[in-house]
């Protein structure tokens, strides 16, 4: 048992060093500037781990004995007697483009973050438990707009910025009910804060007054998910997998603070801030989500799976109980996983390769009324390490685009990187003395 403690400590040390190396502001930046994170509770992180990322985030029906499944709690019960600890790091390079007054403007940025920390262990031969901590959403945008003031020779400048995000600490359980049927449930503590600020001024002189509005919302509440899986065997070689998860619609507790402030252009306060409300109690509504998956596998050698998900973001309500101007979203993905000879003693036969494709209808609508789409492809590889090759390091890459350069619509092109560490060991072993 002490061995896994040492490995956890070493992995955490190496992981934090890797995160710090990507950027001095990495933890504050989420995955970089995203104008669409101004809507709802921000941009959602992928619900899967780094292994799922390499195969289009497919993971509702499929699992692997060497890795955790963070998407369907029922599949925790498919794990072996091993305890597993996982760390995931994510980074993203993105280019944002937009046509403004027939002039193409673009900017590029890179950011990274800790993707997740997760631990799973068996309670008994039919019941597995997992604990995890991961970011759920991030908000990071900085938008400037300049418009002519009607009837005057002057212009008005508007600036909008946002920072923050939500995190999830999750306790999940998976149960094997019969030989091929699995059920699971998880409870998560959702917490975090989001700060949105906007300011405006008429561009007249260097002595202009800037009026700033700051809204800060703190969220903290319990959310839940349930899952199920069925694994009928076709023959001695092939197995079908079916899975489903459901996140119910829920209202989460929040407190809000709203402040108005007049400042000079240098940021010096001109008047006492006007606090409209301070830590006022509120509630936001998160929508229901349903995900379904099917896959076919040949032992631990070959697996092909498809997932589809539906998110009712039209049900979302802000902490002020106002509509969030979001629409229902849909995801569809396909993924492939291949390990040449999982029972071989040759190292190269134990390397796992992955590929995937994903198509998303996002909950965002452009100014021309068109719902945004995100299309991406991914590749991944896992290499075994340590004694008996039960530990793995995984690298996954996904590249895609969302939005197109039509009218004033924003186009985002991105390359996302994921680095995962999976450590397996036996806990709760009884010593036998002869």
């Amino acid at each position: 048992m002490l061995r896994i403690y040492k490995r956890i400590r070493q992995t955490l040390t190496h992981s934090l060093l890797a995160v710090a190396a990507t950027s001095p502001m990495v933890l504050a930046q989420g995955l970089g500037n995203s104008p669409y994170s101004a809507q709802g509770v921000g941009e959602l992180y992928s619900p899967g781990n780094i292994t799922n990322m390499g195969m289009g985030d497919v993971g509702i029906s499929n699992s692997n004995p060497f890795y955790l499944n963070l998407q369907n709690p029922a599949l925790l019960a498919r794990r072996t007697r091993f305890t597993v600890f996982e760390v995931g790091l994510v980074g993203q390079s993105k280019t944002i483009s937009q046509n403004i007054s027939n002039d193409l403007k673009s900017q590029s940025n890179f950011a990274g973050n800790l993707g997740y920390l997760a631990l799973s262990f068996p309670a008994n031969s039919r019941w597995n438990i997992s604990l995890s901590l991961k970011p759920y959403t991030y908000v990071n945008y900085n938008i400037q707009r300049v418009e002519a003031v009607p009837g005057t020779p002057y212009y008005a400048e508007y600036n909008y910025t946002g920072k923050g995000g939500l995190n999830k600490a999750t306790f999940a359980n998976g149960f094997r009910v019969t030989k091929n049927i699995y059920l699971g449930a998880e409870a998560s503590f959702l917490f975090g804060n989001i700060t949105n600020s906007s300011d405006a001024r008429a561009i007249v002189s260097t002595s202009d007054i800037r009026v700033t509005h700051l809204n800060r919302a703190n969220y903290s509440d319990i959310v839940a998910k349930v899952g199920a899986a069925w694994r009928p065997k076709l023959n001695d070689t092939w197995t079908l997998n079916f899975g489903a998860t459901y996140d119910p619609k829920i209202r989460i507790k929040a407190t809000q603070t709203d402040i108005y402030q007049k400042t000079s252009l240098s940021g010096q306060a001109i008047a006492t801030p006007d606090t409209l409300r301070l830590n006022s109690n509120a509630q936001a509504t998160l929508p229901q989500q349903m995900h379904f998956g099917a896959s076919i596998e040949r032992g631990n050698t070959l697996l092909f799976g498809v997932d589809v998900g539906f998110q009712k973001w039209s049900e979302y309500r802000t902490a002020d109980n106002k509509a969030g101007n979001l629409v229902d979203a849909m995801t569809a993905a396909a993924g492939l996983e291949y390990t040449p000879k999982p029972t071989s003693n040759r190292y190269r036969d134990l390397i796992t390769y992955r590929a995937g494709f994903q198509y998303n209808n996002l909950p965002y609508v452009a100014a021309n009324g068109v719902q945004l789409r995100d299309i991406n492809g991914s590749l991944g590889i896992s290499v075994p390490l340590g004694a008996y090759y039960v530990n793995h390091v995984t690298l996954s890459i996904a590249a895609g685009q969302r939005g197109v350069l039509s009218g004033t619509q924003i186009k985002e092109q991105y390359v996302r990187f994921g680095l995962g560490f999976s450590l397996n060991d036996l806990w709760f072993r009884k010593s036998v003395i002869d």
Side-chain angles (χ1 to χ4, degrees), residues 34-44 137-141 143 162 194 196 219 286 313 316 318 323-327 362-367 370 372 402 410:
S34 175
Y36 294 109
S37 68
Q39 302 185 60
V41 288
E43 293 272 5
L44 271 69
T137 70
Y138 73 93
V139 175
N140 187 352
Y141 64 92
I143 303 170
I194 297 172
N196 297 289
Y219 299 89
L286 296 182
W313 281 102
Y316 170 75
T318 68
N325 299 319
L326 300 175
V327 297
L362 301 174
Y364 312 124
V365 177
V370 176
L372 295 186
R402 61 179 183 175
I410 296 172

Side-chain angles (χ1 to χ4, degrees), residues 377-430:
S378 58
L379 296 172
I381 185 172
S382 292
V383 295
L385 296 174
Y388 309 109
Y389 296 137
V390 295
N391 304 312
H392 293 81
V393 174
T394 300
L395 175 65
S396 295
I397 300 175
Q401 174 180 312
R402 61 179 183 175
V404 294
L405 288 175
S406 175
T408 59
Q409 188 177 147
I410 296 172
K411 181 178 75 172
E412 295 185 358
Q413 294 175 304
Y414 60 86
V415 178
R416 190 174 301 134
F417 308 89
L419 180 63
F421 303 88
S422 179
L423 307 178
N424 289 266
D425 204 349
L426 287 172
W427 284 18
F428 315 116
R429 289 179 293 181
K430 293 182 179 180

Side-chain angles (χ1 to χ4, degrees), residues 269-290:
I270 295 175
T272 303
D274 185 6
T275 303
L276 297 186
R277 53 184 173 182
L278 181 63
N279 294 326
S280 176
N281 291 327
Q283 284 188 320
T285 301
L286 296 182
Q288 64 174 322
Q289 302 186 44
M290 296 174 287

Side-chain angles (χ1 to χ4, degrees), residues 121-129 173 175 428:
F121 54 91
N124 58 42
S125 61
R126 290 177 173 266
W127 174 21
N128 274 60
I129 298 170
N173 293 267
F175 305 91
F428 315 116

